[in-house]
Each structure stands twice: as structure tokens, then as C-alpha cells.
Amino acid sequence: CATGYDAHVLVLDAAGDSMIASIAVGGPAQALSLNPEDNLVYCATLDNDAVAVIDGAALRVVNIIPVGRDPTALFYNERRNKLYCANGYYDNDETVTVIDCSSETPITTIDIRVSPSSLAYDSAGDRLYCLSTSSGYVAVVDCERDTMVKQIRVGPGPAAAVCATNFRRMYVANRNGSSLSVIRDTVSSGIETQDDLVVRPKPAPTIIRGVLYLPPASSAEHGASSTLLDISGRKVMDLKPGANDVRTLAPG
């Protein structure tokens, strides 16, 4: 458990629901990421501009890795045994530090031209999505080449994202816009933003002030009738496209 501006990581016993250790990490503990193969926990330390490496068995810091200014988010790429550290949310660093976890050393710094605040991963495309709450952009990083391949404009204040791998969609929650941006990404044709998606919501019946509105019938549905049933399945009235007065009907 990262404790924010307290420079410690708290270790909790999940079986006993109790704290068993408090590990000093040298700076405000901002984010955590797990390397399950080596039983290591990485902790981004904000003012220390570093990542602390914690031995999960010994429960102590075993290394300090320098990164960019104000590291705020981490992602461990198990496929490539690399750790990606988002820098500069508070200090406009606008970079991602890539760490080789076998040697525990930084191997490159990616300039993404926005200040990243959180990270999300698309395992099918092996791409890292770097959300910038302050700019309203998402920077996409190719994890094979460790380069930025595109910036995508989303809603205001993107704060969190999750990937639906089977559908090749990245869903981005925009904190300041009370909205959800959908990014479609295919390996063969590159990246498309939500602006490329044609949204055709299916019309549905609505009731406003005692009037039930049915959407117009499509050409395939032309001539088909609609019926309103009560809760027992008994026919109450026939419906037509457009406005239907239901104010006289009992609830249910």
C-alpha cells in the first residue's frame, strides 16, 4: 500500500487483514507495480525522482533506480521484463523512463510531449497508453521499439483507462468531462480515435408525462405492429410509431 506523501510502503497480510511491515522508500510513495516472477515490488517515489525496488520476501528496499522528475505511475511489462515509469505530472517532465528489470537500470527515456498521470496497457498490441489529465491527450507508446507512435485527443481530464483486449478497445474515463472516450486500435491498420467510430444508438421507447413515444419503424419493420402488455402479459393497447397516450392506464 503506497502511502502518498508519507515515504513508506505498508505491507498488509491479506489473510489476517493486518499490517505486518512499514518499508521506508526514501520519498513520497506515489505508485506501485509488481514483478511476480522475481517477487519484486517497484515503488515510484515522488520527490526523490526515483523508483525503489522492494524485495517481496525480505520486505526491504534492495535498490534505488533514478528516473525523471516527479514519477507518478508505473507499469511492469511482463512480456519484455521492463518497467515503464511516467514522469512529470506535477513538474511537466513529459517523459516515460524505460527500465530493464534484469539489470535494474534505465535504458531509454521516451519524450511523449504531455505530462502523464496514469498508464494503461493493451497486451494484444503491446502498447502503453499514457494518460495526461492536464492536457486531455493520450500518448501511445510502442513497447517493442520504446517509441511514441501517436497522440490521441480524448475528453477533458482523462484519469483512468482499461483495455478490452478481445474487442481491441481502450476505454478512457474523463474526470473533468464526466464522459467516456473509446479508442479503437488495430495492429494492422494503426490507431483510430473515437471520432472515427460511427455511433448509431438503437432507439428505444420512452415515456414522458404520460405519453409513450415509439421510434419510427425501419423499412424492414414497416407494417409490423407493436403491443403494450401489462405485467401479467395481457394486452392493454396497440401502439403506433410516435406518440401514444398512456395517461389513463394503471401502473404496471
PDB file of all heavy atoms in Angstrom, residues 17-37:
ATOM      1  N   ASP A  17      -5.833  -9.613   7.528  1.00  0.00           N
ATOM      2  CA  ASP A  17      -6.276  -8.221   7.440  1.00  0.00           C
ATOM      3  C   ASP A  17      -5.563  -7.344   8.462  1.00  0.00           C
ATOM      4  O   ASP A  17      -6.178  -6.586   9.208  1.00  0.00           O
ATOM      5  CB  ASP A  17      -7.796  -8.114   7.624  1.00  0.00           C
ATOM      6  CG  ASP A  17      -8.564  -8.667   6.448  1.00  0.00           C
ATOM      7  OD1 ASP A  17      -8.006  -8.679   5.337  1.00  0.00           O
ATOM      8  OD2 ASP A  17      -9.722  -9.090   6.628  1.00  0.00           O
ATOM      9  N   SER A  18      -4.238  -7.470   8.462  1.00  0.00           N
ATOM     10  CA  SER A  18      -3.454  -6.689   9.416  1.00  0.00           C
ATOM     11  C   SER A  18      -2.174  -6.215   8.742  1.00  0.00           C
ATOM     12  O   SER A  18      -1.697  -6.805   7.773  1.00  0.00           O
ATOM     13  CB  SER A  18      -3.110  -7.528  10.654  1.00  0.00           C
ATOM     14  OG  SER A  18      -2.367  -8.678  10.281  1.00  0.00           O
ATOM     15  N   MET A  19      -1.606  -5.117   9.260  1.00  0.00           N
ATOM     16  CA  MET A  19      -0.350  -4.599   8.727  1.00  0.00           C
ATOM     17  C   MET A  19       0.813  -5.352   9.369  1.00  0.00           C
ATOM     18  O   MET A  19       0.870  -5.504  10.592  1.00  0.00           O
ATOM     19  CB  MET A  19      -0.226  -3.103   9.015  1.00  0.00           C
ATOM     20  CG  MET A  19       0.961  -2.455   8.322  1.00  0.00           C
ATOM     21  SD  MET A  19       1.091  -0.686   8.659  1.00  0.00           S
ATOM     22  CE  MET A  19       1.746  -0.735  10.337  1.00  0.00           C
ATOM     23  N   ILE A  20       1.744  -5.811   8.534  1.00  0.00           N
ATOM     24  CA  ILE A  20       2.861  -6.586   9.062  1.00  0.00           C
ATOM     25  C   ILE A  20       4.206  -5.893   8.889  1.00  0.00           C
ATOM     26  O   ILE A  20       5.193  -6.307   9.479  1.00  0.00           O
ATOM     27  CB  ILE A  20       2.914  -7.985   8.414  1.00  0.00           C
ATOM     28  CG1 ILE A  20       3.052  -7.877   6.890  1.00  0.00           C
ATOM     29  CG2 ILE A  20       1.690  -8.796   8.782  1.00  0.00           C
ATOM     30  CD1 ILE A  20       3.212  -9.208   6.188  1.00  0.00           C
ATOM     31  N   ALA A  21       4.261  -4.831   8.066  1.00  0.00           N
ATOM     32  CA  ALA A  21       5.536  -4.131   7.881  1.00  0.00           C
ATOM     33  C   ALA A  21       5.286  -2.738   7.320  1.00  0.00           C
ATOM     34  O   ALA A  21       4.270  -2.480   6.671  1.00  0.00           O
ATOM     35  CB  ALA A  21       6.457  -4.909   6.940  1.00  0.00           C
ATOM     36  N   SER A  22       6.221  -1.836   7.598  1.00  0.00           N
ATOM     37  CA  SER A  22       6.239  -0.498   7.025  1.00  0.00           C
ATOM     38  C   SER A  22       7.643  -0.272   6.477  1.00  0.00           C
ATOM     39  O   SER A  22       8.619  -0.293   7.222  1.00  0.00           O
ATOM     40  CB  SER A  22       5.892   0.550   8.083  1.00  0.00           C
ATOM     41  OG  SER A  22       5.972   1.851   7.541  1.00  0.00           O
ATOM     42  N   ILE A  23       7.743  -0.091   5.158  1.00  0.00           N
ATOM     43  CA  ILE A  23       9.043  -0.032   4.490  1.00  0.00           C
ATOM     44  C   ILE A  23       9.325   1.402   4.052  1.00  0.00           C
ATOM     45  O   ILE A  23       8.561   1.992   3.280  1.00  0.00           O
ATOM     46  CB  ILE A  23       9.059  -0.970   3.260  1.00  0.00           C
ATOM     47  CG1 ILE A  23       8.663  -2.391   3.659  1.00  0.00           C
ATOM     48  CG2 ILE A  23      10.432  -0.948   2.585  1.00  0.00           C
ATOM     49  CD1 ILE A  23       8.441  -3.317   2.477  1.00  0.00           C
ATOM     50  N   ALA A  24      10.420   1.972   4.536  1.00  0.00           N
ATOM     51  CA  ALA A  24      10.824   3.313   4.122  1.00  0.00           C
ATOM     52  C   ALA A  24      11.403   3.240   2.712  1.00  0.00           C
ATOM     53  O   ALA A  24      12.282   2.419   2.429  1.00  0.00           O
ATOM     54  CB  ALA A  24      11.856   3.873   5.089  1.00  0.00           C
ATOM     55  N   VAL A  25      10.910   4.114   1.816  1.00  0.00           N
ATOM     56  CA  VAL A  25      11.337   4.057   0.413  1.00  0.00           C
ATOM     57  C   VAL A  25      12.081   5.315  -0.029  1.00  0.00           C
ATOM     58  O   VAL A  25      12.432   5.445  -1.193  1.00  0.00           O
ATOM     59  CB  VAL A  25      10.128   3.812  -0.515  1.00  0.00           C
ATOM     60  CG1 VAL A  25       9.588   2.399  -0.315  1.00  0.00           C
ATOM     61  CG2 VAL A  25       9.040   4.847  -0.303  1.00  0.00           C
ATOM     62  N   GLY A  26      12.312   6.249   0.885  1.00  0.00           N
ATOM     63  CA  GLY A  26      13.159   7.394   0.571  1.00  0.00           C
ATOM     64  C   GLY A  26      12.456   8.611   0.031  1.00  0.00           C
ATOM     65  O   GLY A  26      13.088   9.643  -0.214  1.00  0.00           O
ATOM     66  N   GLY A  27      11.161   8.539  -0.184  1.00  0.00           N
ATOM     67  CA  GLY A  27      10.402   9.665  -0.701  1.00  0.00           C
ATOM     68  C   GLY A  27       8.930   9.319  -0.705  1.00  0.00           C
ATOM     69  O   GLY A  27       8.558   8.163  -0.456  1.00  0.00           O
ATOM     70  N   PRO A  28       8.038  10.303  -0.976  1.00  0.00           N
ATOM     71  CA  PRO A  28       6.606  10.026  -1.000  1.00  0.00           C
ATOM     72  C   PRO A  28       6.259   8.879  -1.944  1.00  0.00           C
ATOM     73  O   PRO A  28       6.569   8.928  -3.133  1.00  0.00           O
ATOM     74  CB  PRO A  28       6.005  11.350  -1.484  1.00  0.00           C
ATOM     75  CG  PRO A  28       7.003  12.385  -1.079  1.00  0.00           C
ATOM     76  CD  PRO A  28       8.339  11.732  -1.220  1.00  0.00           C
ATOM     77  N   ALA A  29       5.632   7.848  -1.398  1.00  0.00           N
ATOM     78  CA  ALA A  29       5.301   6.649  -2.179  1.00  0.00           C
ATOM     79  C   ALA A  29       4.086   6.939  -3.052  1.00  0.00           C
ATOM     80  O   ALA A  29       2.970   7.067  -2.556  1.00  0.00           O
ATOM     81  CB  ALA A  29       5.038   5.476  -1.252  1.00  0.00           C
ATOM     82  N   GLN A  30       4.299   7.019  -4.363  1.00  0.00           N
ATOM     83  CA  GLN A  30       3.262   7.505  -5.270  1.00  0.00           C
ATOM     84  C   GLN A  30       2.540   6.396  -6.008  1.00  0.00           C
ATOM     85  O   GLN A  30       1.353   6.493  -6.266  1.00  0.00           O
ATOM     86  CB  GLN A  30       3.888   8.469  -6.285  1.00  0.00           C
ATOM     87  CG  GLN A  30       2.912   9.187  -7.172  1.00  0.00           C
ATOM     88  CD  GLN A  30       2.092  10.232  -6.420  1.00  0.00           C
ATOM     89  OE1 GLN A  30       2.410  10.564  -5.288  1.00  0.00           O
ATOM     90  NE2 GLN A  30       1.050  10.732  -7.044  1.00  0.00           N
ATOM     91  N   ALA A  31       3.239   5.328  -6.403  1.00  0.00           N
ATOM     92  CA  ALA A  31       2.617   4.271  -7.206  1.00  0.00           C
ATOM     93  C   ALA A  31       3.391   2.979  -7.002  1.00  0.00           C
ATOM     94  O   ALA A  31       4.584   2.992  -6.678  1.00  0.00           O
ATOM     95  CB  ALA A  31       2.597   4.653  -8.685  1.00  0.00           C
ATOM     96  N   LEU A  32       2.707   1.861  -7.209  1.00  0.00           N
ATOM     97  CA  LEU A  32       3.317   0.537  -7.053  1.00  0.00           C
ATOM     98  C   LEU A  32       3.078  -0.301  -8.304  1.00  0.00           C
ATOM     99  O   LEU A  32       2.081  -0.135  -9.004  1.00  0.00           O
ATOM    100  CB  LEU A  32       2.726  -0.201  -5.848  1.00  0.00           C
ATOM    101  CG  LEU A  32       2.892   0.432  -4.476  1.00  0.00           C
ATOM    102  CD1 LEU A  32       2.101  -0.359  -3.441  1.00  0.00           C
ATOM    103  CD2 LEU A  32       4.356   0.509  -4.080  1.00  0.00           C
ATOM    104  N   SER A  33       4.028  -1.228  -8.572  1.00  0.00           N
ATOM    105  CA  SER A  33       3.862  -2.204  -9.644  1.00  0.00           C
ATOM    106  C   SER A  33       4.572  -3.483  -9.232  1.00  0.00           C
ATOM    107  O   SER A  33       5.619  -3.434  -8.577  1.00  0.00           O
ATOM    108  CB  SER A  33       4.431  -1.667 -10.962  1.00  0.00           C
ATOM    109  OG  SER A  33       4.094  -2.525 -12.038  1.00  0.00           O
ATOM    110  N   LEU A  34       4.017  -4.620  -9.617  1.00  0.00           N
ATOM    111  CA  LEU A  34       4.523  -5.922  -9.171  1.00  0.00           C
ATOM    112  C   LEU A  34       5.220  -6.665 -10.294  1.00  0.00           C
ATOM    113  O   LEU A  34       4.711  -6.737 -11.411  1.00  0.00           O
ATOM    114  CB  LEU A  34       3.364  -6.768  -8.642  1.00  0.00           C
ATOM    115  CG  LEU A  34       3.674  -8.227  -8.274  1.00  0.00           C
ATOM    116  CD1 LEU A  34       4.625  -8.297  -7.079  1.00  0.00           C
ATOM    117  CD2 LEU A  34       2.386  -8.995  -7.995  1.00  0.00           C
ATOM    118  N   ASN A  35       6.378  -7.234  -9.976  1.00  0.00           N
ATOM    119  CA  ASN A  35       7.072  -8.189 -10.831  1.00  0.00           C
ATOM    120  C   ASN A  35       6.904  -9.562 -10.189  1.00  0.00           C
ATOM    121  O   ASN A  35       7.669  -9.935  -9.292  1.00  0.00           O
ATOM    122  CB  ASN A  35       8.551  -7.808 -10.946  1.00  0.00           C
ATOM    123  CG  ASN A  35       9.369  -8.801 -11.764  1.00  0.00           C
ATOM    124  OD1 ASN A  35       8.920  -9.915 -12.046  1.00  0.00           O
ATOM    125  ND2 ASN A  35      10.573  -8.405 -12.143  1.00  0.00           N
ATOM    126  N   PRO A  36       5.882 -10.333 -10.590  1.00  0.00           N
ATOM    127  CA  PRO A  36       5.578 -11.588  -9.890  1.00  0.00           C
ATOM    128  C   PRO A  36       6.641 -12.663 -10.063  1.00  0.00           C
ATOM    129  O   PRO A  36       6.836 -13.494  -9.175  1.00  0.00           O
ATOM    130  CB  PRO A  36       4.238 -12.014 -10.508  1.00  0.00           C
ATOM    131  CG  PRO A  36       4.214 -11.363 -11.851  1.00  0.00           C
ATOM    132  CD  PRO A  36       4.952 -10.072 -11.698  1.00  0.00           C
ATOM    133  N   GLU A  37       7.326 -12.660 -11.204  1.00  0.00           N
ATOM    134  CA  GLU A  37       8.333 -13.691 -11.463  1.00  0.00           C
ATOM    135  C   GLU A  37       9.483 -13.598 -10.475  1.00  0.00           C
ATOM    136  O   GLU A  37       9.964 -14.619  -9.954  1.00  0.00           O
ATOM    137  CB  GLU A  37       8.842 -13.549 -12.894  1.00  0.00           C
ATOM    138  CG  GLU A  37       9.855 -14.613 -13.318  1.00  0.00           C
ATOM    139  CD  GLU A  37       9.258 -15.999 -13.448  1.00  0.00           C
ATOM    140  OE1 GLU A  37       8.036 -16.097 -13.667  1.00  0.00           O
ATOM    141  OE2 GLU A  37      10.018 -16.974 -13.334  1.00  0.00           O
TER     142      GLU A  37
END
